[in-house]
Amino acid sequence: MAAASDFARSVLEAIQALAGTTSCKGVQIARLKEWAIANDCWIEPKTLGTFSDRGSENEVYASPDSRHVYKLNDFRYSDDNLTPFFERIQVHNQLFSDCAYDLIGFAENRDGKVCAVLCQPFILSQREATQQEIDKEMQHLGFNKEMDEGYFTNGDYDIFDAVPNNVLMGDDGHLFFIDTIIFKANTGGINTYRSLSPRVSKS
């Protein structure tokens, strides 16, 4: 992940120096595909396992050994460049280390979009967590609930989509936050989330 993040940042910095803009996500994605192919980390999704589900940003595959899930993330919630995506993965891994992501490469999803391929442990769960259980755990982690849509903040980071189908009650009674959206606080994350989230557009 560090190598891919550094490469994406170098593309951003080059464009910013040349054109004075940070709106370069499309260019970064195209260059990342070239970089992934050149560095033997371009993946064919069929090698990951069995297609399982499609969420707002992830195409999900179950590994043959049922020990991992693979998520093809289409960078939906990175607004104008990929920096928020890499920051988000790092923060997720710090907060929720028991279901951390490992960036293993890049691939095209079923829609032909270039995606980051994230590997995550498969969680043995009894059920989805309730919103009340999620609210209590987020408060324990130092996050205050701002409004519905699973929106919490601790002043440094805003977390969205912390809702039952993205948080599991493990067989051990522990909550696993398998799929949330994280932005640095006060960076317009709420507007990005609301403009791009199918959950909000359907409500």
Side-chain angles (χ1 to χ4, degrees):
M1 186 169 72
S5 176
D6 288 345
F7 180 78
R9 184 169 54 251
S10 72
V11 175
L12 169 62
E13 291 172 351
I15 292 174
Q16 193 170 14
L18 183 65
T21 181
T22 60
S23 298
C24 64
K25 182 168 77 169
V27 177
Q28 285 178 300
I29 290 172
R31 293 292 308 280
L32 269 174
K33 179 177 180 179
E34 297 171 356
W35 179 87
I37 293 171
N39 287 275
D40 296 321
C41 51
W42 184 254
I43 297 170
E44 293 297 328
K46 63 184 179 183
T47 65
L48 298 174
T50 305
F51 173 78
S52 173
D53 194 12
R54 169 73 209 194
S56 63
E57 61 174 344
N58 291 316
E59 199 171 84
V60 183
Y61 292 78
S63 68
D65 61 7
S66 299
R67 294 178 60 187
H68 300 90
V69 294
Y70 297 99
K71 297 180 177 179
L72 273 60
N73 184 293
D74 65 9
F75 307 110
R76 173 188 296 266
Y77 293 106
S78 291
D79 192 9
D80 62 358
N81 68 75
L82 298 183
T83 300
F85 169 78
F86 290 106
E87 290 176 342
R88 167 187 166 189
I89 299 304
Q90 291 176 337
V91 176
H92 170 93
N93 289 352
Q94 292 169 11
L95 291 172
F96 310 119
S97 58
D98 46 14
C99 52
Y101 290 120
D102 184 17
L103 175 62
I104 63 169
F106 298 86
E108 283 187 357
N109 66 11
R110 292 184 168 197
D111 295 328
K113 294 181 179 179
V114 175
C115 298
V117 181
L118 303 171
C119 178
Q120 190 175 44
F122 178 80
I123 304 301
L124 295 173
S125 63
Q126 308 170 16
R127 56 176 174 81
E128 294 179 353
T130 66
Q131 192 62 56
Q132 291 78 11
E133 290 167 337
I134 294 168
D135 294 351
K136 181 178 179 180
E137 181 63 17
M138 291 301 292
Q139 185 177 30
H140 175 73
L141 292 171
F143 285 81
N144 297 315
K145 188 170 186 177
E146 293 297 304
M147 57 184 71
D148 292 333
E149 304 157 8
Y151 172 28
F152 301 82
T153 187
N154 67 356
D156 295 318
Y157 296 101
D158 297 338
I159 294 182
F160 300 89
D161 257 8
V163 293
N165 65 322
N166 291 328
V167 184
L168 301 178
M169 173 63 75
D171 286 348
D172 59 359
H174 179 72
L175 267 60
F176 292 87
F177 289 74
I178 61 170
D179 196 7
T180 62
I181 298 162
I182 303 172
F183 293 97
K184 283 186 176 178
N186 304 314
T187 59
I190 187 169
N191 296 323
T192 301
Y193 173 75
R194 285 179 164 171
S195 68
L196 297 174
S197 173
R199 183 187 306 280
V200 176
S201 63
K202 290 177 182 177
S203 60

